[in-house]
Amino acid sequence: SSTSCFVHESFVDEVANQIEMDPLDFRLKYLKDERAVKLLNALRKQTNWDNPPPGEFKGIAFTHAFQSYCAQVVSVEKSGAGVKIKKVGAAIDCGQTNNPDTREAQIEGSIVMGLTAAYKTAISINGGKVVNNNFHNYELRKIDETPEIEVQIMKNNHAPGGIGEPGFPPTAPA
């Protein structure tokens, strides 16, 4: 799910860009799944997608994995030759929830892992062996390197889906 989401969502953005269509509107035009549409519309409102402050740019990505739906909007601003991530807005529809705090923490942790994978670390191989074989030598983003994260958990009575993994795939492509 992690690698295919990056490729899929990047391609969706390229197509939307080619036809000069807003990337969120493009997704909504072609998604027929009611839960996905509801999730994206909620995220649009949550992140103020249609009215970003001057100098702020937004990217979006969506995934349906582990029987859950997750989408994220990453807000950035120009910083030198690159960008600075200001905020990550996430929405998850993982069906029935019995502990929203744990679900929110899972998505926040997944976003930190996604930002780490996109911006900070690499897996090193030396002599045919992986050097970074556990968290003691795989440097995660630190709290002072992590932008504000806001998680919205959709409420419904659908069967429970996954929560540990769905927050990771949309981070990098967003």
Side-chain angles (χ1 to χ4, degrees):
S1 297
S2 300
T3 54
S4 62
C5 179
F6 185 88
V7 173
H8 180 269
E9 290 298 290
S10 296
F11 180 72
V12 168
D13 279 347
E14 286 185 29
V15 173
N17 185 56
Q18 185 68 33
I19 64 170
E20 298 179 357
M21 188 171 185
D22 177 90
L24 179 50
D25 290 336
F26 182 81
R27 284 167 175 82
L28 288 168
K29 181 176 180 176
Y30 294 102
L31 276 170
K32 302 301 179 207
D33 187 306
E34 184 180 312
R35 288 174 72 183
V37 169
K38 187 174 181 180
L39 179 87
L40 289 174
N41 280 323
L43 188 61
R44 167 178 250 145
K45 184 176 179 183
Q46 172 191 342
T47 61
N48 197 24
W49 176 268
D50 296 307
N51 299 301
E56 186 174 298
F57 305 91
K58 297 177 186 264
I60 186 166
F62 165 80
T63 191
H64 179 216
F66 307 97
Q67 290 83 44
S68 291
Y69 300 78
C70 188
Q72 294 174 18
V73 168
V74 174
S75 300
V76 300
E77 63 185 6
K78 290 183 180 182
S79 177
V83 295
K84 176 184 177 192
I85 302 171
K86 294 188 61 159
K87 185 174 183 178
V88 179
I92 177 103
D93 178 344
C94 53
Q96 298 173 8
T97 60
N98 58 0
N99 189 338
D101 290 341
T102 299
R103 307 237 175 201
E104 183 176 350
Q106 287 281 342
I107 298 302
E108 290 169 342
S110 294
I111 290 169
V112 170
M113 295 290 289
L115 292 172
T116 296
Y119 287 100
K120 191 163 188 167
T121 63
I123 300 296
S124 302
I125 299 176
N126 188 358
K129 294 183 180 179
V130 175
V131 175
N132 323 82
N133 59 357
N134 211 325
F135 290 110
H136 73 284
N137 56 12
Y138 179 82
E139 188 179 350
L140 292 168
R141 272 180 97 99
K142 308 252 186 314
I143 192 76
D144 64 332
E145 300 171 309
T146 302
E148 178 184 350
I149 298 172
E150 181 183 18
V151 179
Q152 177 179 186
I153 300 169
M154 306 297 288
K155 295 180 181 176
N156 58 52
N157 291 318
H158 293 285
I163 191 64
E165 294 87 357
F168 179 82
T171 306

